[in-house]
């Protein structure tokens, strides 16, 4: 029995290349039924391989079984609870997958002439209008392909805005709680990153902002609620200070899930907003994409939006008669240009539009209210379980859609680090929350339950964390050696980062 189990386990760990056997095929092409042409006529010799591509040779059942096995080794939202802070890993309605897979959406060629893609362009235009209403800003571009791409677009728009006014500013402000993509984007765009401190209440330190906001500052990039899960109570003062020195105010939309339908970034004073359609609007994300990071902007930023822009025109194309039609507007002389090929990840747009239309304005507000309720309920439940004795809240305030705990007491008294707790959660079938972020919180654990989880799921999670802490009081080595039930045990992460194995041996 043991031997057979060992053979099965070993077989499960073979790569697709190790399964390869010369001559095996999953498909055999039929004989050519058109005249054969010399290869030199089809492909120049210098463009051809000198040897065949190294591809695995396997049968069709082997392909199906191999990738099916791999899929079952991954943790995903269809498997269990995924409270990854600041990433809003919530359930993605299956209906939206069906809508995106309709032939008119999935088979539309990206180079189709606008006159023959009116349905797609209308959907995109209506999505722009909806996102603009949600943000409180009137102009939207769907081009950016991710949140970080939307950030880059926002900083480039800021540069174009200042250059239009004959200004060359050099600095961009980011809070010390900012997502890592914020300073990375600033550096990529050629600006200097200037960090702002956080005060004792968890807000941006207004005195530090006043000191650092000068006429060299191009922009302040801000997430509200912040990655501490707290709403910036001084947001109106922040906007006044930033605009007072002629800079723009940029909204990182990663945490928009907390405020949809309740308040709008444009009303707070933001000039530029990016959305994560793969977070707040239920496009599945993880594993590299696809995503979408549309941007909404104020009137003064609109001339610089990427081209082409999806627009609605009066009259039908060609003769100007009839009702409105939808088009791509390339005539944008002040535009920062095209950000990517084609018009964006269209399937993501379909899912996001279906989500917005399914819920409506009241439904979106309910999403955010429930997300905030779930986070505060879970925090209260953890307190009731005694968890906060070892994992206290970083700031003793009502949170928004997520909250940050500090594992410092747990590390000191139980000899168990935040990473150990996170690894042990895997043995209970729960994906760990974000660890060690934000950087300003020691041994941080950032938890976001989202609005799609039930009370019973949140209760179970609180109970599991409490159980791990009780276990650590008796024997901390259990958590330090976790996980035990996953296909891969704990990795040496330092060695993996310094000496990654990225090539399949021959």
């Amino acid at each position: 029995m043991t031997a057979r189990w060992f053979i099965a386990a070993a077989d499960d760990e073979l790569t697709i290349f190790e399964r390869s056997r010369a001559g095996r095929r999953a498909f055999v092409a039929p004989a050519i039924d058109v005249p054969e042409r010399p290869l030199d006529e089809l492909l120049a010799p210098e463009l051809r391989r000198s040897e065949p591509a190294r591809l695995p040779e396997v049968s069709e059942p082997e392909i199906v079984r191999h990738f099916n096995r791999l899929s079952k080794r991954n943790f995903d939202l269809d498997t269990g609870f995924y409270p990854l802070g600041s990433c809003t890993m919530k359930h993605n309605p299956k209906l939206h997958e069906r809508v995106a897979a309709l032939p008119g959406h999935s088979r539309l060629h990206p180079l189709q002439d606008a006159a023959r893609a009116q349905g797609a362009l209308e959907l995109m235009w209506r999505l722009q209008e909806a996102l603009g209403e949600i943000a409180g800003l009137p102009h939207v571009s769907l081009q950016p392909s991710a949140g970080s791409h939307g950030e880059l677009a926002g900083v480039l728009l800021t540069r174009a805005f200042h250059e239009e006014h004959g200004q060359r500013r050099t600095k961009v402000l980011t809070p010390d709680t900012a997502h890592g993509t914020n300073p990375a984007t600033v550096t990529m765009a050629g600006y200097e990153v200037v960090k702002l401190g956080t005060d004792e209440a968890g807000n941006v330190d207004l005195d530090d902002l006043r000191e650092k906001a000068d006429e060299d500052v191009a922009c302040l990039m801000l997430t509200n609620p912040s990655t501490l899960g707290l709403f910036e109570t001084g947001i109106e003062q922040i906007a006044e200070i930033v605009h007072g020195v002629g800079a723009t105010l940029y909204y990182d939309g990663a945490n928009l899930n907390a405020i949809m339908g309740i308040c709008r970034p444009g009303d707070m004073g933001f000039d530029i907003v990016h959305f994560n359609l793969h977070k707040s609007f239920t496009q599945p994300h993880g594993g590299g994409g696809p995503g979408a990071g549309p941007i909404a902007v104020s009137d003064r930023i609109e001339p610089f939006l990427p081209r082409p822009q999806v627009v609605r025109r009066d009259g039908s194309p060609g003769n100007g008669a009839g009702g409105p039609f939808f088009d791509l507007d390339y005539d944008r002389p002040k535009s920062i240009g095209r950000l990517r090929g084609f018009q964006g990840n269209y399937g993501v747009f379909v899912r996001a539009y279906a989500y917005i239309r399914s819920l409506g304005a009241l439904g979106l507000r309910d999403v955010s209210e429930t997300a905030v309720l779930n986070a505060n309920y879970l925090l209260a439940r953890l307190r009731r379980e005694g968890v906060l004795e070892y994992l206290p809240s970083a700031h003793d305030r009502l949170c928004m859609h997520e909250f940050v705990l500090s594992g410092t007491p747990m590390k000191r008294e139980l000899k168990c680090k935040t990473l150990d707790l996170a690894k042990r959660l895997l043995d209970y079938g729960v994906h760990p929350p974000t660890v060690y972020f934000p950087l300003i919180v020691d041994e941080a654990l950032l938890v976001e339950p989202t609005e799609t989880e039930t009370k019973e799921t949140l209760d179970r999670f609180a109970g599991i964390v409490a159980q791990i802490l009780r276990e650590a009081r008796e024997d901390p080595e259990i958590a330090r050696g976790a996980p035990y039930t996953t296909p891969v045990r704990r990795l040496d992460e330092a060695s993996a980062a310094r000496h990654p194995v990225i090539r399949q041996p021959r």
Side-chain angles (χ1 to χ4, degrees), residues 50 72 215 287 426 500:
S50 58
K72 292 174 181 176
E215 293 188 355
L426 291 168

PDB file of all heavy atoms in Angstrom, residues 50 72 215 287 426 500:
ATOM      1  N   SER A  50      17.240  26.631 -36.273  1.00  0.00           N
ATOM      2  CA  SER A  50      18.310  25.724 -36.694  1.00  0.00           C
ATOM      3  C   SER A  50      18.046  24.303 -36.201  1.00  0.00           C
ATOM      4  O   SER A  50      18.617  23.344 -36.712  1.00  0.00           O
ATOM      5  CB  SER A  50      19.664  26.215 -36.155  1.00  0.00           C
ATOM      6  OG  SER A  50      19.617  26.309 -34.733  1.00  0.00           O
ATOM      7  N   LYS A  72      -5.610  21.417  -9.451  1.00  0.00           N
ATOM      8  CA  LYS A  72      -6.092  21.046  -8.128  1.00  0.00           C
ATOM      9  C   LYS A  72      -5.062  21.311  -7.035  1.00  0.00           C
ATOM     10  O   LYS A  72      -5.380  21.225  -5.852  1.00  0.00           O
ATOM     11  CB  LYS A  72      -6.502  19.570  -8.123  1.00  0.00           C
ATOM     12  CG  LYS A  72      -7.736  19.303  -8.992  1.00  0.00           C
ATOM     13  CD  LYS A  72      -8.055  17.833  -9.096  1.00  0.00           C
ATOM     14  CE  LYS A  72      -9.276  17.618  -9.997  1.00  0.00           C
ATOM     15  NZ  LYS A  72      -9.581  16.182 -10.201  1.00  0.00           N
ATOM     16  N   GLU A 215       6.545  73.808  -4.949  1.00  0.00           N
ATOM     17  CA  GLU A 215       6.278  73.943  -6.380  1.00  0.00           C
ATOM     18  C   GLU A 215       7.108  73.004  -7.242  1.00  0.00           C
ATOM     19  O   GLU A 215       6.985  73.019  -8.471  1.00  0.00           O
ATOM     20  CB  GLU A 215       6.494  75.405  -6.799  1.00  0.00           C
ATOM     21  CG  GLU A 215       5.447  76.321  -6.169  1.00  0.00           C
ATOM     22  CD  GLU A 215       5.497  77.744  -6.706  1.00  0.00           C
ATOM     23  OE1 GLU A 215       6.405  78.042  -7.502  1.00  0.00           O
ATOM     24  OE2 GLU A 215       4.627  78.532  -6.323  1.00  0.00           O
ATOM     25  N   GLY A 287      -2.404  35.041 -11.040  1.00  0.00           N
ATOM     26  CA  GLY A 287      -1.811  34.246 -12.113  1.00  0.00           C
ATOM     27  C   GLY A 287      -1.381  35.067 -13.305  1.00  0.00           C
ATOM     28  O   GLY A 287      -1.128  34.536 -14.378  1.00  0.00           O
ATOM     29  N   LEU A 426      -2.603  27.538   5.966  1.00  0.00           N
ATOM     30  CA  LEU A 426      -2.763  26.700   4.774  1.00  0.00           C
ATOM     31  C   LEU A 426      -3.214  25.287   5.132  1.00  0.00           C
ATOM     32  O   LEU A 426      -3.954  24.650   4.376  1.00  0.00           O
ATOM     33  CB  LEU A 426      -1.439  26.636   3.997  1.00  0.00           C
ATOM     34  CG  LEU A 426      -0.995  27.930   3.316  1.00  0.00           C
ATOM     35  CD1 LEU A 426       0.454  27.820   2.847  1.00  0.00           C
ATOM     36  CD2 LEU A 426      -1.907  28.246   2.137  1.00  0.00           C
ATOM     37  N   PRO A 500      17.188  31.689  -8.064  1.00  0.00           N
ATOM     38  CA  PRO A 500      15.999  31.050  -8.640  1.00  0.00           C
ATOM     39  C   PRO A 500      16.361  30.046  -9.733  1.00  0.00           C
ATOM     40  O   PRO A 500      17.262  30.286 -10.534  1.00  0.00           O
ATOM     41  CB  PRO A 500      15.223  32.234  -9.230  1.00  0.00           C
ATOM     42  CG  PRO A 500      16.278  33.269  -9.517  1.00  0.00           C
ATOM     43  CD  PRO A 500      17.304  33.105  -8.437  1.00  0.00           C
TER      44      PRO A 500
END
